[in-house]
Amino acid sequence: AEMAAARLSGTENRLVSLPLSRIRVIMKSSPEVSSINQDALFLTAKATELFVQYLATYSYKHGRGKEKNALTYTDLSHTAEECETFQFLADILPKKILASKYLKMLEKEKRDGEVREDDDEGEEEEDEDE
Amino acid sequence: MAERPEDLNLPNAVITRIIKEALPDGVNISKEARSAISRAASVFVLYATSCANNFAMKGKRKTLNAGDVLSAMEEMEFQRFVAPLKESLEVYRREQKGKKEARKDKDKKTDSEEQDKSREEDNDDDDERMEEEEQNDEEEVDN
């Protein structure tokens, strides 16, 4: 309810700030969509604004970035993972891992693959660090 | 027809402004966070469109309408958006209606002015008015 009162007018008292033309381009990129009536276009734009507000405030509220008065990528990615409503974003907001960890993961996968093959050839691989 | 990547993005300045107005004053938003939210917003549009389109197809319609979008919001678990969206829609419809009536009034005014002029000039004005009406139709109909 407070969202409705506070956000009804949008930024700078405009009804909607996101450009309808751009929203339309994105919508039309879906092959199965034939046409979009003007009201539907407006509602989608407005809903997207509400979504941006919701994603930002939810992530800030539940994240650790606010310890430093900031909204961070990690806050967002955390939201995508933890909150069911935002789970459709999980693929595009993956958790960040250190490059060294990622390389080790690749190494491990590679080793696991080789163990299943013939052992006769076996060259032992050693971990470089650790 | 392939869209260039930037065409499916929303304008950074607008996204940033919406975020800033939603958060408490002085909160810093990293560039990475802003970019992530922008991408998320585009994905949201795609998801909402797909969902709304399912409702349209169920209703055997080819044109997405307001009801389809509202149904999509409920389906996507964004019920909290429905009430504010309905309110905004009312305002939007009033605005659009107002604009349309303003155009009609303008046309009527041109008409009454025409009656005072000679017939030759009348013909020219008629042509102008027809062009305006065609423009109006284009604005309302989606292709």
Side-chain angles (χ1 to χ4, degrees), chain A residues 47-61:
Chain A
T48 306
E49 282 185 23
L50 296 178
F51 170 78
V52 168
Q53 291 167 355
Y54 187 27
L55 177 60
T57 52
Y58 186 97
S59 301
Y60 182 70
K61 189 173 159 190

PDB file of all heavy atoms in Angstrom, chain A residues 47-61:
ATOM      1  N   ALA A  47       5.289  -1.944 -14.424  1.00  0.00           N
ATOM      2  CA  ALA A  47       5.630  -3.108 -13.603  1.00  0.00           C
ATOM      3  C   ALA A  47       7.144  -3.266 -13.506  1.00  0.00           C
ATOM      4  O   ALA A  47       7.678  -3.632 -12.454  1.00  0.00           O
ATOM      5  CB  ALA A  47       5.003  -4.371 -14.186  1.00  0.00           C
ATOM      6  N   THR A  48       7.840  -2.976 -14.600  1.00  0.00           N
ATOM      7  CA  THR A  48       9.297  -3.091 -14.595  1.00  0.00           C
ATOM      8  C   THR A  48       9.908  -2.088 -13.626  1.00  0.00           C
ATOM      9  O   THR A  48      10.874  -2.391 -12.919  1.00  0.00           O
ATOM     10  CB  THR A  48       9.857  -2.897 -16.014  1.00  0.00           C
ATOM     11  OG1 THR A  48       9.204  -3.800 -16.897  1.00  0.00           O
ATOM     12  CG2 THR A  48      11.355  -3.156 -16.069  1.00  0.00           C
ATOM     13  N   GLU A  49       9.343  -0.885 -13.584  1.00  0.00           N
ATOM     14  CA  GLU A  49       9.834   0.101 -12.611  1.00  0.00           C
ATOM     15  C   GLU A  49       9.620  -0.394 -11.193  1.00  0.00           C
ATOM     16  O   GLU A  49      10.517  -0.292 -10.345  1.00  0.00           O
ATOM     17  CB  GLU A  49       9.094   1.423 -12.775  1.00  0.00           C
ATOM     18  CG  GLU A  49       9.610   2.219 -13.950  1.00  0.00           C
ATOM     19  CD  GLU A  49       8.969   3.585 -14.050  1.00  0.00           C
ATOM     20  OE1 GLU A  49       8.471   4.101 -13.030  1.00  0.00           O
ATOM     21  OE2 GLU A  49       8.970   4.115 -15.163  1.00  0.00           O
ATOM     22  N   LEU A  50       8.431  -0.938 -10.917  1.00  0.00           N
ATOM     23  CA  LEU A  50       8.145  -1.461  -9.579  1.00  0.00           C
ATOM     24  C   LEU A  50       9.108  -2.596  -9.242  1.00  0.00           C
ATOM     25  O   LEU A  50       9.574  -2.727  -8.114  1.00  0.00           O
ATOM     26  CB  LEU A  50       6.697  -1.956  -9.498  1.00  0.00           C
ATOM     27  CG  LEU A  50       5.607  -0.890  -9.670  1.00  0.00           C
ATOM     28  CD1 LEU A  50       4.219  -1.524  -9.625  1.00  0.00           C
ATOM     29  CD2 LEU A  50       5.720   0.190  -8.598  1.00  0.00           C
ATOM     30  N   PHE A  51       9.401  -3.396 -10.258  1.00  0.00           N
ATOM     31  CA  PHE A  51      10.325  -4.513 -10.076  1.00  0.00           C
ATOM     32  C   PHE A  51      11.725  -4.020  -9.701  1.00  0.00           C
ATOM     33  O   PHE A  51      12.359  -4.550  -8.796  1.00  0.00           O
ATOM     34  CB  PHE A  51      10.377  -5.346 -11.360  1.00  0.00           C
ATOM     35  CG  PHE A  51      11.472  -6.373 -11.358  1.00  0.00           C
ATOM     36  CD1 PHE A  51      11.333  -7.552 -10.663  1.00  0.00           C
ATOM     37  CD2 PHE A  51      12.659  -6.133 -12.034  1.00  0.00           C
ATOM     38  CE1 PHE A  51      12.355  -8.501 -10.646  1.00  0.00           C
ATOM     39  CE2 PHE A  51      13.688  -7.057 -12.029  1.00  0.00           C
ATOM     40  CZ  PHE A  51      13.533  -8.244 -11.324  1.00  0.00           C
ATOM     41  N   VAL A  52      12.204  -3.018 -10.422  1.00  0.00           N
ATOM     42  CA  VAL A  52      13.536  -2.464 -10.126  1.00  0.00           C
ATOM     43  C   VAL A  52      13.586  -1.957  -8.685  1.00  0.00           C
ATOM     44  O   VAL A  52      14.529  -2.231  -7.944  1.00  0.00           O
ATOM     45  CB  VAL A  52      13.894  -1.330 -11.114  1.00  0.00           C
ATOM     46  CG1 VAL A  52      15.121  -0.559 -10.649  1.00  0.00           C
ATOM     47  CG2 VAL A  52      14.150  -1.908 -12.505  1.00  0.00           C
ATOM     48  N   GLN A  53      12.550  -1.225  -8.289  1.00  0.00           N
ATOM     49  CA  GLN A  53      12.483  -0.709  -6.916  1.00  0.00           C
ATOM     50  C   GLN A  53      12.501  -1.857  -5.910  1.00  0.00           C
ATOM     51  O   GLN A  53      13.226  -1.810  -4.915  1.00  0.00           O
ATOM     52  CB  GLN A  53      11.205   0.101  -6.709  1.00  0.00           C
ATOM     53  CG  GLN A  53      11.176   1.407  -7.473  1.00  0.00           C
ATOM     54  CD  GLN A  53       9.795   2.025  -7.507  1.00  0.00           C
ATOM     55  OE1 GLN A  53       8.817   1.435  -7.034  1.00  0.00           O
ATOM     56  NE2 GLN A  53       9.685   3.212  -8.071  1.00  0.00           N
ATOM     57  N   TYR A  54      11.696  -2.867  -6.181  1.00  0.00           N
ATOM     58  CA  TYR A  54      11.561  -3.991  -5.258  1.00  0.00           C
ATOM     59  C   TYR A  54      12.870  -4.771  -5.148  1.00  0.00           C
ATOM     60  O   TYR A  54      13.335  -5.077  -4.051  1.00  0.00           O
ATOM     61  CB  TYR A  54      10.420  -4.884  -5.737  1.00  0.00           C
ATOM     62  CG  TYR A  54      10.028  -6.021  -4.809  1.00  0.00           C
ATOM     63  CD1 TYR A  54      10.228  -5.948  -3.442  1.00  0.00           C
ATOM     64  CD2 TYR A  54       9.427  -7.173  -5.319  1.00  0.00           C
ATOM     65  CE1 TYR A  54       9.854  -6.993  -2.601  1.00  0.00           C
ATOM     66  CE2 TYR A  54       9.044  -8.220  -4.492  1.00  0.00           C
ATOM     67  CZ  TYR A  54       9.262  -8.123  -3.133  1.00  0.00           C
ATOM     68  OH  TYR A  54       8.885  -9.157  -2.315  1.00  0.00           O
ATOM     69  N   LEU A  55      13.484  -5.055  -6.287  1.00  0.00           N
ATOM     70  CA  LEU A  55      14.747  -5.803  -6.286  1.00  0.00           C
ATOM     71  C   LEU A  55      15.820  -5.035  -5.511  1.00  0.00           C
ATOM     72  O   LEU A  55      16.562  -5.607  -4.713  1.00  0.00           O
ATOM     73  CB  LEU A  55      15.212  -6.064  -7.719  1.00  0.00           C
ATOM     74  CG  LEU A  55      16.567  -6.774  -7.883  1.00  0.00           C
ATOM     75  CD1 LEU A  55      16.559  -8.152  -7.231  1.00  0.00           C
ATOM     76  CD2 LEU A  55      16.924  -6.918  -9.367  1.00  0.00           C
ATOM     77  N   ALA A  56      15.887  -3.737  -5.753  1.00  0.00           N
ATOM     78  CA  ALA A  56      16.908  -2.912  -5.094  1.00  0.00           C
ATOM     79  C   ALA A  56      16.678  -2.849  -3.585  1.00  0.00           C
ATOM     80  O   ALA A  56      17.606  -3.086  -2.793  1.00  0.00           O
ATOM     81  CB  ALA A  56      16.923  -1.502  -5.687  1.00  0.00           C
ATOM     82  N   THR A  57      15.447  -2.551  -3.177  1.00  0.00           N
ATOM     83  CA  THR A  57      15.196  -2.394  -1.749  1.00  0.00           C
ATOM     84  C   THR A  57      15.294  -3.727  -1.004  1.00  0.00           C
ATOM     85  O   THR A  57      15.831  -3.783   0.100  1.00  0.00           O
ATOM     86  CB  THR A  57      13.819  -1.750  -1.468  1.00  0.00           C
ATOM     87  OG1 THR A  57      12.813  -2.488  -2.170  1.00  0.00           O
ATOM     88  CG2 THR A  57      13.783  -0.310  -1.931  1.00  0.00           C
ATOM     89  N   TYR A  58      14.797  -4.781  -1.611  1.00  0.00           N
ATOM     90  CA  TYR A  58      14.875  -6.092  -0.967  1.00  0.00           C
ATOM     91  C   TYR A  58      16.339  -6.500  -0.765  1.00  0.00           C
ATOM     92  O   TYR A  58      16.743  -6.948   0.309  1.00  0.00           O
ATOM     93  CB  TYR A  58      14.153  -7.138  -1.826  1.00  0.00           C
ATOM     94  CG  TYR A  58      14.060  -8.501  -1.162  1.00  0.00           C
ATOM     95  CD1 TYR A  58      12.908  -8.877  -0.480  1.00  0.00           C
ATOM     96  CD2 TYR A  58      15.132  -9.394  -1.195  1.00  0.00           C
ATOM     97  CE1 TYR A  58      12.827 -10.122   0.141  1.00  0.00           C
ATOM     98  CE2 TYR A  58      15.058 -10.631  -0.574  1.00  0.00           C
ATOM     99  CZ  TYR A  58      13.906 -10.985   0.095  1.00  0.00           C
ATOM    100  OH  TYR A  58      13.832 -12.211   0.714  1.00  0.00           O
ATOM    101  N   SER A  59      17.134  -6.331  -1.824  1.00  0.00           N
ATOM    102  CA  SER A  59      18.541  -6.730  -1.771  1.00  0.00           C
ATOM    103  C   SER A  59      19.308  -5.910  -0.748  1.00  0.00           C
ATOM    104  O   SER A  59      20.159  -6.430  -0.024  1.00  0.00           O
ATOM    105  CB  SER A  59      19.186  -6.581  -3.144  1.00  0.00           C
ATOM    106  OG  SER A  59      18.510  -7.377  -4.093  1.00  0.00           O
ATOM    107  N   TYR A  60      19.003  -4.622  -0.693  1.00  0.00           N
ATOM    108  CA  TYR A  60      19.676  -3.749   0.262  1.00  0.00           C
ATOM    109  C   TYR A  60      19.323  -4.160   1.693  1.00  0.00           C
ATOM    110  O   TYR A  60      20.203  -4.291   2.535  1.00  0.00           O
ATOM    111  CB  TYR A  60      19.262  -2.302   0.025  1.00  0.00           C
ATOM    112  CG  TYR A  60      19.940  -1.312   0.938  1.00  0.00           C
ATOM    113  CD1 TYR A  60      21.301  -1.018   0.809  1.00  0.00           C
ATOM    114  CD2 TYR A  60      19.219  -0.672   1.941  1.00  0.00           C
ATOM    115  CE1 TYR A  60      21.911  -0.112   1.655  1.00  0.00           C
ATOM    116  CE2 TYR A  60      19.831   0.241   2.788  1.00  0.00           C
ATOM    117  CZ  TYR A  60      21.180   0.513   2.643  1.00  0.00           C
ATOM    118  OH  TYR A  60      21.788   1.404   3.481  1.00  0.00           O
ATOM    119  N   LYS A  61      18.046  -4.396   1.903  1.00  0.00           N
ATOM    120  CA  LYS A  61      17.554  -4.739   3.233  1.00  0.00           C
ATOM    121  C   LYS A  61      18.144  -6.054   3.739  1.00  0.00           C
ATOM    122  O   LYS A  61      18.503  -6.178   4.903  1.00  0.00           O
ATOM    123  CB  LYS A  61      16.030  -4.840   3.165  1.00  0.00           C
ATOM    124  CG  LYS A  61      15.320  -4.975   4.486  1.00  0.00           C
ATOM    125  CD  LYS A  61      13.805  -4.878   4.252  1.00  0.00           C
ATOM    126  CE  LYS A  61      13.050  -5.506   5.417  1.00  0.00           C
ATOM    127  NZ  LYS A  61      11.619  -5.646   5.138  1.00  0.00           N
TER     128      LYS A  61
END
